[in-house]
Amino acid sequence: MSDDKRKNARVPLDIYLNKYMGGVPYMARAADISQEGVSLARLLEPEKDTRRVGLQFQLPGSEEVIYAEGEVVREWVEAGASRDERSGVRFTLLTQRHRRLIDDYVTRSTQAH
């Protein structure tokens, strides 16, 4: 997800979440989020060529669990000693309420910086 393709601002998001592949949950770690998607670090998940994923997470300061579906649009390996495997997931299905929660979080985080 190069900067020139992004339509919305990304803000840091350091949380663990459930990433569902083939209906099975795997733990992943978010690095940032925008109104369009989320960047994830791969933790413990099998090598699969799955493009469609389910996501389940809570934003900091919120008690509500967000459920989303998404499509993996980019995968890469971070440079450096850790060589983290990362992916960019674009949201494809969100309820209006959950979209609003994400929008509000991104807006508040953008204004705070």
Side-chain angles (χ1 to χ4, degrees):
M1 289 196 228
S2 64
D3 288 333
D4 56 323
K5 291 183 181 180
R6 291 188 187 146
K7 297 179 186 100
N8 297 302
R10 290 194 164 267
V11 297
L13 178 66
D14 187 12
I15 61 167
Y16 290 98
L17 54 86
N18 287 320
K19 176 182 176 185
Y20 288 85
M21 298 179 354
V24 178
Y26 297 94
M27 184 181 288
R29 187 173 185 177
D32 60 47
I33 191 168
S34 76
Q35 294 161 331
E36 292 187 336
V38 64
S39 171
L40 302 175
R42 181 184 186 151
L43 297 178
L44 302 170
E45 65 187 60
E47 288 286 336
K48 285 190 176 182
D49 195 22
T50 304
R51 306 309 294 168
R52 298 183 66 126
V53 297
L55 302 172
Q56 179 185 38
F57 60 96
Q58 286 178 277
L59 293 170
S62 174
E63 295 295 317
E64 187 158 352
V65 177
I66 293 175
Y67 299 94
E69 288 183 18
E71 177 184 11
V72 177
V73 293
R74 182 170 176 233
E75 294 178 304
W76 70 97
V77 176
E78 285 285 307
S82 64
R83 310 266 315 145
D84 291 334
E85 293 181 44
R86 305 191 68 75
S87 61
V89 177
R90 181 179 62 224
F91 298 130
T92 57
L93 183 63
L94 275 171
T95 65
Q96 285 295 86
R97 178 171 174 74
H98 290 164
R99 183 171 299 283
R100 209 168 24 255
L101 287 172
I102 293 169
D103 290 351
D104 291 348
Y105 178 80
V106 170
T107 300
R108 277 193 321 272
S109 297
T110 302
Q111 293 170 350
H113 289 101

